[in-house]
Amino acid sequence: MPTNITPVISGVRIAIDRGGTFTDCIGSHPEREDVVVKLLSVDPQNYPDAPREAIRRVLEIYTGKKISRDEKLDTSLIESIRMGTTVATNALLERKGEKCAMITTKGFGNSLIIGNQSRPKIFDIAIHKPEVLYQEVIEIEERVTLEDYTEHPDKLRTTDVSADPDLVIGLSGEVVRVLTRPDSLQIEKKLQDLYDRGFRSIAICLMHSYTFPDHEKIIGEIASKIGFQHISLSSQLMPMIKLVPRSTSAIADAYLTPEIKKYISGFAKGFEGHLGTASVQSGKGARCEFMQSDGGLVDVDSFSGLRAILSGPAGGVVGYALTSYDRKTKIPVIGFDMGGTSTDVSRYGEGRYEHVFETTTAGVTIQSPQLDINTVAAGGGSMLFWRNGLFVVGPESASAHPGPACYRKGGPLTVTDANLHLGRLLPEFFPKIFGPHENQGLDSSASESLFTDLTKQINLDLSSDSQMTVDEVAYGFIKVANETMIRPIRALTEAKGFDTSTHRLATFGGAGGQHAVAIAEALGISQILIHRYSSVLSAYGMALADVVHEVQEPSSITFSPSTEEVFIKRFDILKATSEKTLLGQGFSSENITFELYLNMRYQGTESALMIIKPNDDWDFQRSFVNQHLQEFGFTLPNREVIVDDIRVRGIGKSAQKSEPSVDEQLNLVNAIGVDRRLSVMTKSVYFDGGRQETPIYRLEDLPVGARVPGPTILADGTQTIVIPPGSAALILETHVVIDIGDGYDLKEVSTEVVDPITLSIFGHRFMAIAEQMGRALQKTSVSTNVKERLDYSCALFDAGGGLVANAPHLPVHLGSMSTAVRTQANIWKGKLKRGDVIVSNHPVTGGTHLPDITVITPAFSGDRIIFYVASRAHHADIGGILPGSMPPNSRELFQEGAAIMSEKLVSEGHFEEDRITKLLLDEPAKFPGCSGTRCLPDNINDLKAQVAANQKGINLIDTLIGEYGESVVQFYMTAIQQNAELSVRNLLKKISARFDGKLLRAVDYMDDGSPIHLTIDINAENGTAVFDFTGTGPEMYGNMNAPEAVTYSAIIYCLRCLITEDIPLNQGCLRPVDVIIPKDSFLSPSASAAVVGGNVLTSQRVTDVIFRAFKACAASQGDCNNLTFGIGGKNEETGEQIRGWGYYETIAGGSGAGPTWNGTSGVHTHMTNTRITDAEIFERRYPVILREFSIRKGSGGTGQYFGGDGVVRDIEFRVPVQCSILSERRVYHPYGLAGGEDAACGLNIWVRMLDNQKGGRTERRINLGGKNTAAMKAGERIIIHTPGGGGYGARDLAPGADTRRADVKGNWRGQGSVSIYAASQESN
């Protein structure tokens, strides 16, 4: 840092990034050197606010004067302050925002509690859902709906609204029907009561306000008159369809913006003069702008909480995008930002930022443009663990306080400590900001002491010939940490159709340089770019960024040449709005540019893409089709393209710095070998294979053009760059460019003894293969079920059909897929050739229910099968008596559609389309009352997608074999199963000890009285168990029969839940378990038995019985509440196929309480985790009015710990439909445990409208029972009351603390497309 700067009297520019661990600040002046300051973000013993402290230190250097910490800072010295801050993020994470209330439509007061009804983590029986941000909710009697529906077979639309006063055309062009108008007096009374009770901030979000904001405006005006200080209208913040995310966005704004304003007010008080555009225009202050989540700056007076979530990380993306991307060579860049508290990855290509518009951060789903920044790990602060024989990195973080062990605050062992111990982090170059007086460096002895202790613990668990040194342990954690980060980086690029190897890696953040080469090498990237300000690049990005103002409005218009002019006119209106705002901030028209976007999708799909205007014309559709093909692998040429949103991004060009591009510098530089005499010291540094004496260079000592071969370390006061053997660094004016060597030969790994480090890495690699198979399947599939609902699973199996890795998609698929693979392996033993692919869905060969079709591909080495890959996808229709192939009244298997025992789908590379067409279309139609598949094209396309996904898995395994060798891969396929087996054996031993070795018994009953009996006999000596279902009822003449594979899935799911830690999910979990299922019982039915309800209902009851035997928790709702309705289908009299539509959903209920926790209300439990369709999408697509979706208060069982409540879902049909319900727990209550009370049963009500003698209609309520179908008329309703969860413990016992585990990833997990996909995978 320069210390001899000639003093200045004005013109200092400040750029700041307040991160989770460090606050980085860059001071600049047109005539002076830059000044870089780095300090702890939280250090209350020395200063109250890190950004202001950083500015004070910068001004001291530029003025040459001492400025006390109590003195106000003089704004006349400052030209501008640009800042990214974590104030909003921290308030969200810590739930320390403003007290606020939500105002919403009657019937939807619990909509944010229910959310999308999925649970965050599928293996947590103590379900932990994030708390809502508001303290109170007020329901308003007002209601509008959409007049038309998009699933209409003839696509009819209302064109004339003049004849009906209740019809109006909304902002999106959709016709809105006003059902109930708001009562202003009633609203005023309710709001006044809120105000009188101390509320000053409210959020207003009403049904369909994205297109009809009138009612929100009425409420907003009343609230303003009463005196509310902050009023967030969802229709103004983000007018996009979807009630829940728009509501959470409005609440987040009401919750966070007042906190932002408080912070800014306090920050500004530290200055002499004012901050912001208005103060500059009045001549009494400095410009002050904050970075928004979308990568654009905004004036301090307009900075809002909603757009502040990614304020800091956004600066880093801007920083590397504008310093590492060359618009001439157009080589795309992956950003790798590894800091102390989090690790963020992103991508920049095609010369523009990539945004996402609906993300979840700290459990809050937000609709707002955000850069696609994916927080993938907890950074240098990721804690290190030895668990179940595996090296585990994170997700727990040491955070900024206490920080890693070496920070001198008594913190835990972290990745930072591992780098320090191995010599990859140099205390001599690290800021001396630790200790009580902020003058001490990193404490190497603290790291070494903890690593010594951990190594002793690890060696106790290892055999005598597998003992590890402290160095090996520390390096093992580094390798596992790298693998943890590589998975999401690969997912980010490949999910969008890009190859990682065609990118450069731009690494930044304090810890990025220590891991960059290993990360790049694993991704196939050959060149790394590290900016001279890489450790403070987020702050540098603030100085490079532009001021941005975005405006957006909804649409429902089809894009075509005839509507092009409509969009041009609407763009002009939005541009004028944006320009007016930017002109008001002091920009001239010539410095304002615009990016124009349309959010487009194919009719009938929900996969929208935000398309930027082409440079030379207005043909958005061509760009949409090209991008759809790249991202999803197909197009739908006969479908209309719908525009959901029109967006304008106004940009005020204001960058304060510029520099030559990397490629320009590379073309001009003359590379020369480094002068070794420039090395300031030599250190013993650990690389692959052991320690090496490694030269250390100061970055500032190296001339431009110096080429530094590895092994070496380059360092300055803010960063450490590790160059391993085989790579070399080239010094440019602005960057360090690292060229990766040719890589290593085949990795030499022993197959004599299991190495826990290698085992941990293979655990990640195997799971990554399953995940990438899933991405390939989603990308190339066509049907809504697979592409959007993500109703599929992909897995990897050993040569015997044993499960090696199954990404946690659907619990009901977990154990059953291996049954299918093993069965098919035996059927085709010795008969399969390269290029063969098997297809099956029959219950007796490992199927669950018929719509789930399994595709299995063998992989060969010579003539020998060495492993299998398989994918299972839910097909929307495969024939049978009803559309959707999930009839509530099926009695025989043939009524549920095509049943395929075992067939070749592909023979030596040839897709057998004729044969599969016959099996799906012709065979089912031979049975009375049955039809063949009603969507053959989707079936064929999805089956081809499954084949492609399997091939992806084979290719990835081949790559792994090429890296390690076949014998090593096979060895660790076995080892990872043995590791899971050990975890289950240890669990069973603990359970046996807890119950003193007694037999565990449980029984429960289906609603028809059929019992499920279970006896569990645990052998405490070897950790095995027998699960004996003897006594279970006989096969049913109905569809509650469950194939044996379903019971295996339930067992593996329950065991995984009881372990409570992440373990490899594979066949090893079942090896200690023997299962006895009586033949011809409804858990082992005959080949002809109907099974559709067994998969979705009986599976839940089996799970409840297992948990009851273990006394783990009370019963959850034990149900999926399967609701279907629609029109059309086969006319039985004429055989004619009538065009129509169908809808299917499963509905949440209550979860059971446990020994130390309350149950959760309105959530899916156990064997399913499907999301519910958002209320506004629901009414847009179908002719329905959702009257209520709320928590069913009091339906959970009482006790020391209360069970969760079920929900009430009230749907009114606007046209005649056939409606069916398939449900359980309508007779037998979800049980309480240990003295806790039972929960309420479910109830299905048909609200019939019958003609009366007076010429009117009379309402009559009829109990439909648990399983029924009815023809419902327009105006009639179905009301589903779902069951609650049972209570735990006697009610007169005082409850202890609710010990549901908080999500340890909560401090970093959430935003970005990778997280969106991962969350979808766990809630499909």
Side-chain angles (χ1 to χ4, degrees), residues 245-278:
R246 198 173 67 254
S247 297
T248 52
S249 300
I251 280 291
D253 189 70
Y255 186 74
L256 297 175
T257 299
E259 287 299 305
I260 289 279
K261 298 300 183 188
K262 288 177 191 174
Y263 173 75
I264 290 172
S265 176
F267 177 70
K269 286 178 181 176
F271 294 83
E272 193 69 52
H274 300 288
L275 300 176
T277 301

Side-chain angles (χ1 to χ4, degrees), residues 460-677:
L460 287 174
D461 293 339
L462 299 179
S463 60
S464 58
D465 55 349
S466 303
Q467 298 291 289
M468 302 180 72
T469 67
V470 175
D471 279 355
E472 288 170 339
V473 168
Y475 189 61
F477 280 113
I478 294 294
K479 291 171 72 174
V480 173
N482 291 339
E483 192 63 44
T484 304
M485 293 182 285
I486 288 163
R487 276 170 64 183
I489 297 173
R490 190 178 284 117
L492 172 69
T493 49
E494 295 189 357
K496 296 183 178 181
F498 301 111
D499 181 356
T500 56
S501 65
T502 64
H503 293 66
R504 284 168 164 163
L505 185 71
T507 183
F508 53 106
Q514 296 147 45
H515 296 259
V517 173
I519 296 290
E521 186 180 68
L523 294 170
I525 293 173
S526 60
Q527 196 168 68
I528 299 169
L529 308 181
I530 304 179
H531 194 271
R532 63 192 169 112
Y533 286 146
S534 72
S535 72
V536 292
L537 196 63
S538 289
Y540 191 64
M542 309 295 170
L544 301 177
D546 296 316
V547 174
V548 168
H549 181 259
E550 286 210 11
V551 283
Q552 182 171 315
E553 68 179 27
S555 170
S556 63
I557 303 172
T558 300
F559 190 91
S560 68
S562 63
T563 59
E564 184 178 291
E565 194 62 34
V566 174
F567 291 109
I568 293 174
K569 289 180 179 178
R570 291 176 75 170
F571 273 130
D572 287 341
I573 295 170
L574 295 178
K575 283 166 63 178
T577 301
S578 182
E579 184 174 37
K580 181 179 179 181
T581 300
L582 291 172
L583 289 171
Q585 294 185 28
F587 292 93
S588 59
S589 295
E590 55 266 26
N591 286 330
I592 298 174
T593 61
F594 299 97
E595 291 178 355
L596 311 182
Y597 295 87
L598 294 179
N599 198 26
M600 310 175 80
R601 61 181 171 84
Y602 281 119
Q603 174 72 46
T605 73
E606 295 298 330
S607 301
L609 297 172
M610 190 67 74
I611 305 299
I612 193 170
K613 179 188 174 298
N615 291 326
D616 49 353
D617 57 31
W618 290 87
D619 194 355
F620 279 88
Q621 185 157 350
R622 182 186 67 237
S623 297
F624 167 75
V625 170
N626 291 339
Q627 189 168 331
H628 200 281
L629 182 63
Q630 177 182 311
E631 287 208 23
F632 302 128
F634 69 93
T635 62
L636 299 171
N638 297 321
R639 293 210 194 174
E640 293 180 334
V641 176
I642 307 298
V643 175
D644 280 340
D645 303 281
I646 304 167
R647 173 184 170 219
V648 168
R649 184 174 171 86
I651 302 169
K653 293 292 183 181
S654 62
Q656 298 176 345
K657 289 177 174 289
S658 63
E659 56 187 41
S661 75
V662 170
D663 289 293
E664 289 171 345
Q665 296 177 64
L666 285 172
N667 288 334
L668 296 174
V669 74
N670 292 315
I672 55 172
V674 69
D675 185 345
R676 297 264 179 186
R677 291 174 297 180

Side-chain angles (χ1 to χ4, degrees), residues 410-429:
L413 211 51
T414 68
V415 170
T416 296
D417 294 296
N419 278 312
L420 179 64
H421 174 78
L422 296 170
R424 293 163 164 251
L425 185 60
L426 308 174
E428 297 88 345
F429 289 85

Side-chain angles (χ1 to χ4, degrees), residues 1090-1147:
V1091 296
V1092 71
N1095 186 60
V1096 293
L1097 297 178
T1098 307
S1099 64
Q1100 296 280 47
R1101 197 61 54 83
V1102 173
T1103 304
D1104 274 344
V1105 171
I1106 295 170
F1107 281 136
R1108 188 174 201 170
F1110 285 121
K1111 294 182 171 54
C1113 59
S1116 292
Q1117 70 157 334
D1119 186 25
C1120 289
N1121 304 293
N1122 301 268
L1123 177 69
T1124 57
F1125 58 83
I1127 62 172
K1130 181 179 176 182
N1131 185 313
E1132 287 301 322
E1133 294 181 3
T1134 65
E1136 176 188 4
Q1137 195 72 26
I1138 302 170
R1139 292 172 62 208
W1141 50 266
Y1143 174 76
Y1144 168 65
E1145 70 180 20
T1146 59
I1147 308 171

